[in-house]
Amino acid sequence: MNINGVTIEDTFAEAFEMKATRIIITAMDRRWVGHAAETMTGFATSVIGCGIEAGIEQYLEPEETPDGRPGASVLLFAISGKDLTKHLQNRIGQSVLTCPTTAVFSGLAGKPTAMGEGVRYFGDGYQISKLFGDRRFWRVPVMDGEFVCEATTGRIDAVGGGNFLVLGETAEQTLRALEGAIEAMGHLPGVIMPFPGGVVRSGSKVGSKYKGLLASTNQAYCPTLRGVADSKIGPEVGAVMEVVIDGMDPDAVSRATALGIQTVCAFGPENGILGITAGNFGGDLGQFQFPLHEVLA
Amino acid sequence: MNINGVTIEDTFAEAFEMKATRIIITAMDRRWVGHAAETMTGFATSVIGCGIEAGIEQYLEPEETPDGRPGASVLLFAISGKDLTKHLQNRIGQSVLTCPTTAVFSGLAGKPTAMGEGVRYFGDGYQISKLFGDRRFWRVPVMDGEFVCEATTGRIDAVGGGNFLVLGETAEQTLRALEGAIEAMGHLPGVIMPFPGGVVRSGSKVGSKYKGLLASTNQAYCPTLRGVADSKIGPEVGAVMEVVIDGMDPDAVSRATALGIQTVCAFGPENGILGITAGNFGGDLGQFQFPLHEVLA
Amino acid sequence: MNINGVTIEDTFAEAFEMKATRIIITAMDRRWVGHAAETMTGFATSVIGCGIEAGIEQYLEPEETPDGRPGASVLLFAISGKDLTKHLQNRIGQSVLTCPTTAVFSGLAGKPTAMGEGVRYFGDGYQISKLFGDRRFWRVPVMDGEFVCEATTGRIDAVGGGNFLVLGETAEQTLRALEGAIEAMGHLPGVIMPFPGGVVRSGSKVGSKYKGLLASTNQAYCPTLRGVADSKIGPEVGAVMEVVIDGMDPDAVSRATALGIQTVCAFGPENGILGITAGNFGGDLGQFQFPLHEVLA
Amino acid sequence: MNINGVTIEDTFAEAFEMKATRIIITAMDRRWVGHAAETMTGFATSVIGCGIEAGIEQYLEPEETPDGRPGASVLLFAISGKDLTKHLQNRIGQSVLTCPTTAVFSGLAGKPTAMGEGVRYFGDGYQISKLFGDRRFWRVPVMDGEFVCEATTGRIDAVGGGNFLVLGETAEQTLRALEGAIEAMGHLPGVIMPFPGGVVRSGSKVGSKYKGLLASTNQAYCPTLRGVADSKIGPEVGAVMEVVIDGMDPDAVSRATALGIQTVCAFGPENGILGITAGNFGGDLGQFQFPLHEVLA
C-alpha cells in the first residue's frame, strides 16, 4: 500500500484495554482553564512512570460547559479503576483545587468513580454537599470563594497504546510532518496523544539485558545501530518517530490513526517522509489490533 | 507600611530548606524544547502530592547552552537528596528521553547527583559514555539518533515555600494584578512559582479535623466563611490569592517577593488590590523567614 | 518624586484629540477571532504612516458579544472622522470580510460612522439589510455563508499620544520591566498601546534637517549621541523606551499611565530601572496634558 | 481524480507575476522579533486594499541570521517594483524602526531595491554608513542604541495568487482541515498565505453591478445563493474556503498547493471534506497556471 509515494507497511498496531474517564475543568477565562488543564495533564506520558496518561481533549466554549464558563475536557487513562481513582484525585488536588477560579465536573457517564468524594476533605468540615437532579457536587471553601467539584465521574473501558511509526530522512523533516499531523489529530474527539508534543522518539521493546528493567531501546529502529544490531530500517532512514494514541473506544483510535497517517503522507518523499509502520508485540499481549491497511481503507 | 495605597502587613513569610538542582534541556528548536520542559515540569506543584516541585526558570538562546541549540533551564526542588534523584531521573525518563531531538545537561555545580547515570540503562547495552574535560555524558541510541544526557548534575541546599498573599476585592481583579506580577517575576533568575499560572487559591493550614490529613483549608482566609469561623479578612475582601516561590537561595526568594509585591501594588485600590500579607507557622517550622517590611525596604 | 528608588521627572505628557471608535469582531472560536483582529490591527502604529492607529482592547467571552460567539473589541483612532471612516472600511474589507466565520458589530454609541454601509457593496446586489430594534445590519453572501456587518458604528472624540518614557541601564532590563507593564496595562479598558509589543524605541522630535521630513530621531534621548549632541540622559542610561497610549478619554489614558509607570518602577534600580519621564512639545501642540506627578498622586 | 475519497476537480489555479523580496528582521529575543514581524506583516492580505501582501516565511535561529540573533524572514509582494519599494520602506519605518532592539537585513540577491536608503533619513544627519564586504548598512541612532538597516535588498519576479478551494460540509469542518493544512504549508520555504489564518472566505469575481467596484462576491460559490444565482456547488456543500498562496517562484507555489491539498484530503469525507477545486479567470489574465492534477501527480 502506498499513499502519495509513501509506503504503508502491511502490519498492525497493538493496543491495550485501559480504564478511562473524561472530566470538565472550568475557570474564569481561557487563560486559567489552560493553567489548570496543562498542569494537571503534565508529566502524564505513560502509566509506567507517571501512574496515569492524560491530555487535553479540547477546549470548550462557555455554552458547552455545565457552569457556562470557558472550559476544557481532559481525558485520563490508567491500568485499573483503582489507579484511575487514586491519580485522578491526586491530580485534581494538586493542579485544580489549587488553581484560581476553577471547578471540576464529570464529562462521562459510566461506572461511578470518586472525584469530589475524596477532594472534599480539604474543606475540613466546612464543605457543603449539593444535589442538582441526580448529580452531587461538593462546595469546598477556599481563599477565592468555593471550589465546586462533582462527587463522582464516570469510568469506561477504553484503549491505550494505539500507535503508528513514521520513517523519515531526517529528524527535522519527520517532525515537520508530524507537527501537522498532531495539529490535525488534535481536532478529533475521544483521543489524546500523551507524549511531549504528541510524539515519541524513544521507541522501546519489552525487556532488557539489565535485570528488573521492563523495557529498553528498540535497537531495530535506531539509525545509529544499523550496522551493530538487527535493523528494520534501510540506510535512507535517518529518523523514526512514533505517535501513541489513547482513545475512548477503538473507533476513535482508528479514526485518529488514519488521519495522522494521511496527514504525514501528505508531505511525501519530497519532504523526507519515506514510510509508515506500526508497533506491536506479535499480537499476543494487547486486546486490540489496528491493521494499518484496514484502518486506511 | 503602604505602597500605592495598598497596606503591607508587618509579618513574615516562613520557608523551608529543600534540595534543588538546575538542568538544561536543549532540542532542535524552541517548540520542542517547550514540549519537553513543559511536560517535565507539569504536575509539580507541591512535594507532598507530586514528589517534586519544578518549573521553567527561563528559555535559553543557543549561545547560552552547552550544545549551541535552543534550550530551557529547569529548576527542581525536593525534600531530600534521595527524593530529588529519584524524581529527576523518572521525569527525565518520561518527559525528555521520550521527546524528539532533546538532550539534557547539568546546569549547576554542587554535590553530584545521578542523572544520566540512571537513564542510560534504557540503552540496553548500546549506550556509550563520553568524557569532555571532567564532565561525563551518556549517549543512548534512540529512534531519532542518540539521546545525550550528562551523567550527573549538581545539587544544593535551597529554599522552598517563600510566599506572599494578596487581598483583593474580587477574584478577577486580584488575578489581573497577579498576572502582571507573575510575568514580571518570571524574568528573575533562580526562582520558580510552581503552582498553576504561579498562583494558589487553596491556602492551607497544618492539620485537619479528619485523621491522617496533613493539611486543610485555611478558613481564616476564606471569604465565604467570614461569619462562620475566625477570620483574618475584612468584609471588603472578596478573594485572597497566594504566590509560592521556590528559590535557589534566600536572596533570590527575597528579590522575587519584592518584585511581585511591588507589581501587584502598582494596580492599587482603584483596581481592587487592598492588602498584602504572608503565610507563616509562627516561625517554628521553617528554616527561613522573609519579613515583608525588610524585603521591601 | 520617587517610586521604589526610581526618579519620576516633574514633567507632563502631551497628547492630541483624535477621532475613535470601538468595533466588536466575533467568529466561530477564539482562534479565528484572533486571526481577524490581529490582522486588522497590524501595521497600525501611527496615523502618519499607517493612516490609523489600532489595537485589540480585549478578547470577549460569548456572553459579552452581540451574537453570543467569542469576540474581540478593537479600538481605532484617526486624525479626522473622514480618515476614520475610510480606514475602518478598508481594514474591515481586507481583514474581516475575508476572514472565515467572522461578523462585525458597533461597540460604541456616538456619531454614526459608516461601516457595513460601505462593505455591503461586495455583495453585488445579493446583500440583504436587516433591522433589529434601531440597529441596521448588512448580510453579505460569502463562501462560508453570510458576513454580518452592522451598518454603522459610533465615533467619539478621544485622546492619542499619551505617553511615558523609561530610562534604563540596558535595553534588555528596560524591556523586561516594560513587558510586565504592557501586560498589566492590557487589562485596562479603553486604551491601546499601538506600537509593536506596546513599546517604541525610535522617539522622535518634530522636524528634520532634511526638507519634507516631518519628524526625525530625538537625539537628546539617544545614548550613542551623548557626546555628540545635546543630551537629556546621564551616562548611566543605556536605553530609553517609550510607551504610547491612545485612549477613549483622558481618564483612561491617565489610569493606564499610572499603572504602567507603577509597574515599571516595581522593578526598581536593582533591575536597571533608573528614571521615568514623558514626551511633550512644550504644551503648545496638544489638547491634553498629563502631568506625571498628578497622574501618580 | 480522487484522494482519500475527496474529488479533485480537473481545473487549474491562475496566478500573476508580482515583484517580491525577502528581508530578515532580528531582535534581542524571539518575542521582540515576533512583535516586529507580526506588526509589519499585519493588514497585508491583498495588494488592492493594503498596497502589499506580506507574511512571515519562517522564524530563524541565531545561527541563521546575519547578526547572530534570533530572527524572522519576511516575504513581501507588490504589483510593481515601485510599489514594493514604497511599501517596504513605509512598513519598516512604522513597524521595525519603532520596535525595540530590531535590525533589518536583505534576505535575497536580485535587483537592488532601496531599504535603509530611505529609512536612514530618520537619523537627521547622525546616521552612519558602514560597508561590510560589498554590503552597505545604515546605523541610525535611536533611544535604545542604533537601528541597523541594510541599504538595499534584492527584488525578483515572483508569483502571486496561487490558490485552491476546499468544498466542505460545514464551515467548522472545513476550517479544522485547513488549520492542519496551513500549519503544514507554513513549514515550506518560499511561500506565504497572506489572508487571516491563511484562509479566505470572501471569494470574488472580477467586476460588479456597482460602477467602480473592481471585484465582488463570487455568487457561484455562495451556499446561501444556491437557489438564487447560478451555482457551482451541490446541496451537500455548506462552506467553501480558499487558500491563496504567494510564492517566490512557480515551484514553491506548486509544492505548497500539493501539500495543502493532500493535508486537507487527509481529513476525508468522514470529516466533512467533499471536494477540491481552484480559482481562475479562464486563463487569459494570469501569467501562471497550476493544473491541480499535474501539481498532485
Side-chain angles (χ1 to χ4, degrees), chain B residues 100-250:
Chain B
T101 81
T102 55
V104 181
F105 303 92
S106 168
L108 192 71
K111 192 172 157 58
T113 299
M115 188 164 65
E117 283 305 332
V119 177
R120 68 170 156 145
Y121 295 106
F122 182 77
D124 201 22
Y126 295 105
Q127 70 272 19
I128 298 167
S129 163
K130 274 272 172 185
L131 209 60
F132 287 98
D134 59 348
R135 296 172 69 169
R136 181 171 297 281
F137 300 87
W138 285 99
R139 295 166 47 192
V140 181
V142 284
M143 296 196 307
D144 70 349
E146 290 182 330
F147 172 52
V148 172
C149 187
E150 191 158 353
T152 61
T153 181
R155 182 230 295 173
I156 57 169
D157 292 338
V159 183
N163 71 80
F164 64 90
L165 280 83
V166 182
L167 283 59
E169 268 182 61
T170 67
E172 182 168 357
Q173 287 176 306
T174 315
L175 284 179
R176 289 304 174 229
L178 279 166
E179 289 169 0
I182 295 296
E183 162 81 23
M185 296 165 75
H187 290 310
L188 294 183
V191 293
I192 57 167
M193 283 66 71
F195 281 92
V199 185
V200 204
R201 59 90 183 259
S202 59
S204 59
K205 63 177 183 291
V206 176
S208 162
K209 65 176 278 195
Y210 301 106
K211 245 192 191 166
L213 256 193
L214 298 174
S216 63
T217 198
N218 190 346
Q219 66 269 14
Y221 288 105
C222 291
T224 64
L225 298 179
R226 204 153 19 213
V228 180
D230 277 351
S231 185
K232 291 190 180 156
I233 54 176
E236 72 286 5
V237 175
V240 179
M241 302 281 181
E242 183 177 1
V243 176
V244 170
I245 304 162
D246 293 342
M248 298 305 266
D249 57 54

Side-chain angles (χ1 to χ4, degrees), chain D residues 19 81 103 121 169 174 176 189 208 235 265:
Chain D
K19 306 299 178 187
Y121 295 106
E169 269 182 60
T174 315
R176 290 302 175 231
S208 162
C265 291

Side-chain angles (χ1 to χ4, degrees), chain A residues 167-222:
Chain A
L167 284 59
E169 269 182 60
T170 67
E172 181 167 357
Q173 287 177 306
T174 315
L175 284 179
R176 291 303 175 230
L178 279 167
E179 289 169 2
I182 295 295
E183 161 81 23
M185 297 165 75
H187 291 310
L188 294 182
V191 292
I192 57 167
M193 283 65 72
F195 281 93
V199 185
V200 205
R201 58 89 183 259
S202 58
S204 58
K205 65 178 182 293
V206 176
S208 162
K209 64 175 279 192
Y210 301 106
K211 247 194 190 162
L213 258 193
L214 299 172
S216 62
T217 198
N218 190 347
Q219 67 269 14
Y221 288 105
C222 291

Side-chain angles (χ1 to χ4, degrees), chain D residues 10-24:
Chain D
D10 187 7
T11 185
F12 62 92
E14 190 171 353
F16 298 83
E17 193 181 288
M18 297 181 82
K19 306 299 178 187
T21 188
R22 175 191 285 118
I23 65 168
I24 310 294

Side-chain angles (χ1 to χ4, degrees), chain C residues 48-82:
Chain C
I48 309 293
C50 310
I52 205 161
E53 298 175 15
I56 298 170
E57 184 186 25
Q58 60 173 321
Y59 283 95
L60 301 171
E61 299 298 335
E63 69 268 22
E64 299 172 295
T65 68
D67 64 357
R69 300 193 304 166
S73 66
V74 166
L75 304 185
L76 304 105
F77 297 78
I79 284 180
S80 67
K82 199 177 143 195

Side-chain angles (χ1 to χ4, degrees), chain D residues 234-264:
Chain D
E236 72 286 4
V237 175
V240 180
M241 302 281 181
E242 183 177 2
V243 175
V244 171
I245 304 164
D246 293 343
M248 298 306 267
D249 57 53
D251 268 7
V253 173
S254 192
R255 278 193 306 268
T257 303
L259 177 55
I261 293 175
Q262 293 273 11
T263 310
V264 167

Side-chain angles (χ1 to χ4, degrees), chain B residues 3 14 30 49 54 91 103 143 173 186 215 250 281 290:
Chain B
I3 299 179
E14 190 170 353
R30 171 72 172 66
R91 284 183 176 247
M143 296 196 307
Q173 287 176 306
F281 310 92
F290 298 92

Side-chain angles (χ1 to χ4, degrees), chain C residues 32 39 43 45 49 90 94 97-98 102 122 124 127 141 143-144 147 179 201 205 208-210 217 240, chain D residues 32 39 43 45 49 90 94 97-98 102 122 124 127 141 143-144 147 179 201 205 208-210 217 240:
Chain C
W32 289 93
T39 304
F43 182 60
T45 56
N90 191 26
Q94 298 303 317
L97 164 65
T98 58
T102 55
F122 182 78
D124 202 23
Q127 69 273 21
M143 298 196 306
D144 71 348
F147 173 53
E179 289 169 0
R201 59 91 182 257
K205 64 177 181 294
S208 162
K209 64 175 279 193
Y210 301 106
T217 199
V240 179
Chain D
W32 289 94
T39 304
F43 181 61
T45 57
N90 191 26
Q94 298 302 318
L97 165 65
T98 58
T102 55
F122 182 77
D124 201 22
Q127 68 273 20
M143 296 196 306
D144 71 348
F147 173 52
E179 289 169 0
R201 58 89 183 261
K205 64 177 182 293
S208 162
K209 64 177 278 193
Y210 301 107
T217 199
V240 180

